[in-house]
Amino acid sequence: MQSLNNTPVIPLQGSCFTRKTTRAIVLRGNDILMLYTKRYDDYTLPGGGVDEGESLEAALERELKEETGAVSITGLTPFGRYEEYRPWYKPDHDNVHIISYCYVCEICGEFDAPAMEDYEHANGMKPVWININQAIAHNEAKLNDANNKGMSVLRELTLLKHISAQLVTD
């Protein structure tokens, strides 16, 4: 799987654990399925953590169903991997090494209501279709707003630019 990092991945000092995640890339022409989070006013790809013993593909399908309500997910194709280190917020470790495995897929048919977790509801997260160039411009503006940016904005912006360059045809 190709690396989607634009810069070297440098570990942080202190204790660390690794968290595997998946990210779904669902396109309809120039529109992409994203999660808009009101708390951070940003766009992220649907996806999340891989449970112990769960395959990457099964985790992607589960997360996509939970966060968007997608019922029929087909054509999972590996796109790339993005790695990052972040400070961890619990006392058991200083940092987390997040490895995001990105897959292109299709959603057939209708969507059910999402079954988001409590913190996702509290943050005002909702699935939306948005033009990929608008999502890029919006997240670029958030990245430049030092007062209000979630930690995922750089990752999402990098991924969106790779998706646009490699998968979207104007």
Side-chain angles (χ1 to χ4, degrees):
M1 204 178 264
Q2 73 170 322
S3 172
L4 299 172
N5 291 81
N6 292 338
T7 58
V9 181
I10 301 170
L12 299 173
Q13 295 290 329
S15 65
C16 185
F17 73 100
T18 299
R19 179 175 187 251
K20 291 182 181 179
T21 68
T22 60
R23 310 273 173 226
I25 302 165
V26 185
L27 295 165
R28 287 186 180 162
N30 291 339
D31 289 342
I32 187 166
L33 181 60
M34 301 291 291
L35 296 172
Y36 174 75
T37 304
K38 185 175 181 179
R39 177 180 180 187
Y40 301 113
D41 186 30
D42 65 3
Y43 293 97
T44 59
L45 293 170
V50 178
D51 293 337
E52 190 171 329
E54 187 177 36
S55 71
L56 295 173
E57 294 82 0
L60 180 77
E61 289 184 24
R62 176 182 49 76
E63 287 287 345
L64 194 51
K65 287 176 183 179
E66 289 173 2
E67 294 180 343
T68 70
V71 176
S72 179
I73 302 162
T74 62
L76 271 65
T77 305
F79 179 71
R81 180 188 70 253
Y82 184 91
E83 295 186 55
E84 61 192 306
Y85 286 89
R86 290 187 187 177
W88 187 239
Y89 63 95
K90 294 181 181 178
D92 55 342
H93 290 91
D94 299 316
N95 306 295
V96 58
H97 176 207
I98 303 172
I99 306 173
S100 295
Y101 296 91
C102 302
Y103 288 82
V104 178
C105 59
E106 294 180 19
I107 297 174
C108 302
E110 300 297 317
F111 288 73
D112 285 342
M116 294 191 187
E117 296 184 44
D118 290 340
Y119 79 92
E120 292 168 328
H121 281 293
N123 286 340
M125 189 178 284
K126 66 178 182 176
V128 296
W129 288 97
I130 184 171
N131 178 282
I132 192 166
N133 295 315
Q134 290 175 325
I136 289 169
H138 185 90
N139 279 3
E140 281 179 333
K142 294 311 299 178
L143 191 62
N144 293 324
D145 180 3
N147 295 323
N148 185 25
K149 67 178 175 187
M151 294 182 73
S152 60
V153 174
L154 178 59
R155 176 192 65 224
E156 298 301 321
L157 185 56
T158 302
L159 295 176
L160 283 168
K161 287 181 177 181
H162 278 289
I163 294 163
S164 179
Q166 296 178 44
L167 299 176
V168 176
T169 56
D170 289 327

